Amino acid sequence: MNQKVTHLNELIEITRDGQHFYQHALEVVKDVELQHLFRDMAQSKTHIIQALSVKVAANQEQPAQGGTATGKLREVYADIKARLGNADAVYIDQLDQTEERILAAFEDALSTAEPDVRALLAIELPKIRACHERIHKLNHGGAKRGD
């Protein structure tokens, strides 16, 4: 597997962490607006994963199918912490950190990627930034749920 595909698969895995975490969180939180937000965010991650997977497949390679250990640990940590306090706030905070991790990974990849991958990342990066901004504002009181 060449380095381009390796980097794309790493981005798929990190993005899938976010997708899985949002799907998990929407099943746990009770607030209907948060459930809708988390569903939207999971769907956004699905679209990004699909776009990256197409690029991997175009290189005659298999797209990554799973997430990362770090992503799973963050989910487990959130579950444990949510039992001790405000579950909604815990999931929002942990999802904000997940979004920061995804954004950093994409920005790092953009700076080192080959031109064809850089073009794809330039298309997907605004979507990543919008997701990050949405959950970050919610986490830090800059927006109401559903914004």
Side-chain angles (χ1 to χ4, degrees), residues 1-137:
M1 187 176 311
N2 65 42
Q3 189 167 359
K4 173 178 21 179
V5 171
T6 299
H7 284 136
L8 286 168
N9 273 332
E10 288 170 358
L11 293 174
I12 289 170
E13 290 173 343
I14 290 168
T15 306
R16 186 166 279 118
D17 288 345
Q19 176 197 43
H20 287 165
F21 199 174
Y22 279 113
Q23 289 170 334
H24 173 73
L26 78 87
E27 294 171 4
V28 177
V29 298
K30 304 295 185 227
D31 185 294
V32 174
E33 289 181 46
L34 278 181
Q35 291 172 349
H36 288 298
L37 172 64
F38 292 172
R39 188 173 291 110
D40 288 348
M41 299 291 265
Q43 188 64 36
S44 177
K45 300 293 180 263
T46 299
H47 292 299
I48 294 165
I49 291 165
Q50 289 169 343
L52 297 173
S53 295
V54 166
K55 188 69 169 174
V56 170
N59 284 278
Q60 286 77 44
E61 295 287 347
Q62 180 68 30
Q65 298 300 310
T68 68
T70 301
K72 188 61 181 168
L73 286 172
R74 183 173 302 281
E75 206 174 297
V76 169
Y77 173 75
D79 287 343
I80 292 167
K81 195 171 176 186
R83 289 188 192 118
L84 303 174
N86 181 343
D88 292 357
V90 168
Y91 284 104
I92 290 168
D93 181 61
Q94 291 302 304
L95 286 163
D96 185 14
Q97 291 181 43
T98 298
E99 287 292 344
E100 289 176 9
R101 180 173 175 242
I102 294 168
L103 179 60
F106 272 75
E107 287 175 339
D108 287 348
L110 185 64
S111 67
T112 60
E114 295 179 20
D116 61 324
V117 173
R118 196 170 22 247
L120 172 62
L121 297 180
I123 292 168
E124 299 304 321
L125 196 52
K127 299 171 193 173
I128 298 290
R129 286 186 177 127
C131 287
H132 174 261
E133 185 176 320
R134 197 170 173 193
I135 197 75
H136 189 75
K137 281 182 179 178

